[in-house]
Amino acid sequence: MPSPPEMTAMEVMGAAFLLLLSVIYLPVYIVAHLLMQFMYLPRSLHRHIFHPTNILQRKYFAKDAYAIVTGATDGAGKGFVEQLAARGWNVIIHGRSLDKINDIITSLQVLYPNQVFLPLRLDCTENEMTIKLPAALKHFKGLDIRILINNAAYLHPCAQFEDLPIQMVDDVLRTNAIFPTFITHCMLNFRKITTDPPAVTLPSEKESAIHSALSEGSSVKGENINSAWHSTESPLRLIVTIGSVGALYATSKTSPYAPAKCYLNAFASFLRFSLQSKDIEVMNVQTGALDTKMWPGRRKYIMILQPNEFARRVLDKVGLAKIGHGWGWWGWKTLGLGVDEYVAGGSGVWVHWGHQTMNFMQGLLPGDVWCAIGETVVTRLGYNPQTSPLLAV
Ligand SMILES: NC(=O)c1ccc[n+]([C@@H]2O[C@H](COP(=O)([O-])OP(=O)(O)OC[C@H]3O[C@@H](n4cnc5c(N)ncnc54)[C@H](OP(=O)(O)O)[C@@H]3O)[C@@H](O)[C@H]2O)c1
């Protein structure tokens, strides 16, 4: 084997200089980062201590209103259903197993006989979802569905991306990215898809005027677009998407789950601004580990949150993503008390102080250093892909 070329004196001096620089740089970086974090202290205090926990009920609740929860047959999704039911909501329970959905409905019906619980059975990975989803949602025609919780997700075994079966890659992308996008689109067009096509179509002249006015955000011949389309406006008032800490730090064995969650983060932060004018709150939630079947065999540690507790915290944080909500637009804008969404793909709302602190600690280290630690943690806490039953799918 050829021996590596010897370094010149200049290269040795350059390497020594860089080493010295990085030894000095690391503590400076950590101290500067710690000082910077004080700027976020008001937001953290507000989020975890002062934010009123009753906004969901105060602003969005009505006796006949419904919430729809995806992936509601287990883990956090089931937690959301139980928490919403306990707060008096009627709930549409989405899942892929009708037996599991019916079991939940039966037990809830005993506890809350005056509320309505409806099934929505659809496997997120099914083909032709653009047709099946609107068709399924038509069954809920006329219901006042005010909340959509995009919770369904599927985590593949921790393994090299190229070692995963291609079908598994397809399932992850469909469940974690495509399905939430489609159901959000359908729900924003809920009244349109649940209404039969109008007998009389718009004269083409007026239709094109509406399209160009919509794109310019103006009105048609003095007629307000919002009122012209009022009858087809969505009843949605709140969209919650569930992100993952996994999307914030790159590791080698969490693809495509984590990249799909990155997409969901970005989708929610774009949506948050685009739906601001329609008074629809879009809250992207960040979380670390939950005690669910998503990560079987994981060692238990103090930061693992119970799914019901997670759901309760999320519902208590509603209102944080509403720009200008509660105490005035300027308060939110100037103090930035709401969510971290200033850039596309912003991280959203941490609902657990422990998870937020862990994220903060991670931020103390330069990205690559933390990613290397994350890699070890994923491998240590993760389950062995060779023995995982999921890889046999
Ligand atoms: N667990 C964690 O440590 C953790 C960490 C960060 C973020 N999160 C996020 O938290 C959310 C809830 O996760 P979880 O831990 O509660 O997960 P979970 O226990 O595995 O539950 C996932 C739910 O999604 C449903 N689901 C999965 N694939 C589906 C498909 N193809 N079609 C229809 N439904 C499907 C499951 O249905 P079945 O009951 O039929 O399986 C189940 O109801 C997810 O968005 C996840 O990414 C979790």
Side-chain angles (χ1 to χ4, degrees), residues 66-365:
Y66 282 75
I68 178 164
V69 182
T70 73
T73 47
D74 221 313
K78 197 173 168 199
F80 279 118
V81 173
E82 288 168 1
Q83 285 288 328
L84 284 162
R87 294 173 196 219
W89 287 81
N90 305 301
V91 190
I92 297 170
I93 299 165
H94 163 257
R96 56 187 160 181
S97 152
L98 201 53
D99 288 345
K100 281 178 104 170
I101 298 176
N102 284 336
D103 284 350
I104 296 174
I105 291 181
T106 309
S107 59
L108 288 175
Q109 215 67 79
V110 174
L111 289 170
Y112 311 103
N114 298 327
Q115 288 161 236
V116 183
F117 303 100
L118 300 171
L120 171 58
R121 203 219 66 82
L122 258 184
D123 190 320
C124 302
T125 62
E126 279 177 34
N127 289 324
E128 298 181 338
M129 198 53 87
T130 50
I131 299 165
K132 287 181 184 165
L133 195 45
L137 291 173
K138 276 187 183 179
H139 293 294
F140 307 121
K141 180 177 177 172
L143 296 187
D144 186 7
I145 306 176
R146 296 188 180 189
I147 302 177
L148 166 64
I149 300 187
N150 276 319
N151 166 80
Y154 166 45
L155 171 64
H156 51 82
C158 292
Q160 285 289 122
F161 170 68
E162 63 275 18
D163 292 340
L164 296 174
I166 189 78
Q167 186 58 51
M168 189 175 275
V169 174
D170 188 54
D171 288 353
V172 172
L173 294 178
R174 284 179 193 238
T175 310
N176 301 2
I178 296 175
F179 186 78
T181 309
F182 283 1
I183 195 168
T184 304
H185 189 272
C186 286
M187 286 310 302
L188 288 171
N189 287 292
F190 183 62
R191 294 237 166 87
K192 289 181 197 162
I193 63 173
T194 52
T195 311
D196 293 324
V200 183
T201 50
L202 281 170
S204 56
E205 202 182 301
K206 185 166 181 184
E207 195 177 14
S208 62
I210 285 182
H211 284 308
S212 60
L214 273 176
S215 58
E216 288 160 18
S218 66
S219 58
V220 189
K221 292 174 190 158
E223 185 183 349
N224 185 294
I225 295 296
N226 271 346
S227 65
W229 287 59
H230 183 75
S231 60
T232 55
E233 265 179 17
S234 168
L236 267 193
R237 304 286 311 280
L238 169 70
I239 300 169
V240 178
T241 57
I242 307 299
S244 169
V245 67
L248 304 181
Y249 301 94
T251 66
S252 65
K253 297 189 176 66
T254 52
S255 194
Y257 169 87
K261 286 287 182 183
C262 288
Y263 163 78
L264 206 59
N265 281 352
F267 177 58
S269 50
F270 276 90
L271 214 54
R272 176 167 174 258
F273 283 100
S274 68
L275 294 179
Q276 189 184 338
S277 60
K278 295 194 170 177
D279 206 21
I280 300 174
E281 175 174 354
V282 182
M283 187 167 83
N284 186 34
V285 170
Q286 283 306 339
T287 181
L290 308 175
D291 190 9
T292 66
K293 72 172 168 53
M294 177 166 269
W295 198 322
R298 174 171 43 191
R299 279 180 223 152
K300 303 274 183 260
Y301 66 105
I302 193 162
M303 287 297 175
I304 295 191
L305 207 55
Q306 292 306 312
N308 223 299
E309 174 61 10
F310 169 68
R312 182 188 69 74
R313 285 168 188 258
V314 171
L315 298 180
D316 284 352
K317 296 285 181 274
V318 166
L320 279 174
K322 192 77 182 281
I323 300 168
H325 197 69
W327 301 328
W329 191 85
W330 285 106
W332 285 103
K333 281 286 178 190
T334 50
L335 289 176
L337 292 176
V339 295
D340 310 340
E341 299 283 17
Y342 309 114
V343 289
S347 67
V349 175
W350 289 94
V351 296
H352 183 228
W353 65 266
H355 290 168
Q356 188 177 343
T357 307
M358 268 172 69
N359 186 50
F360 161 69
M361 303 292 281
Q362 291 161 2
L364 285 180
L365 294 171

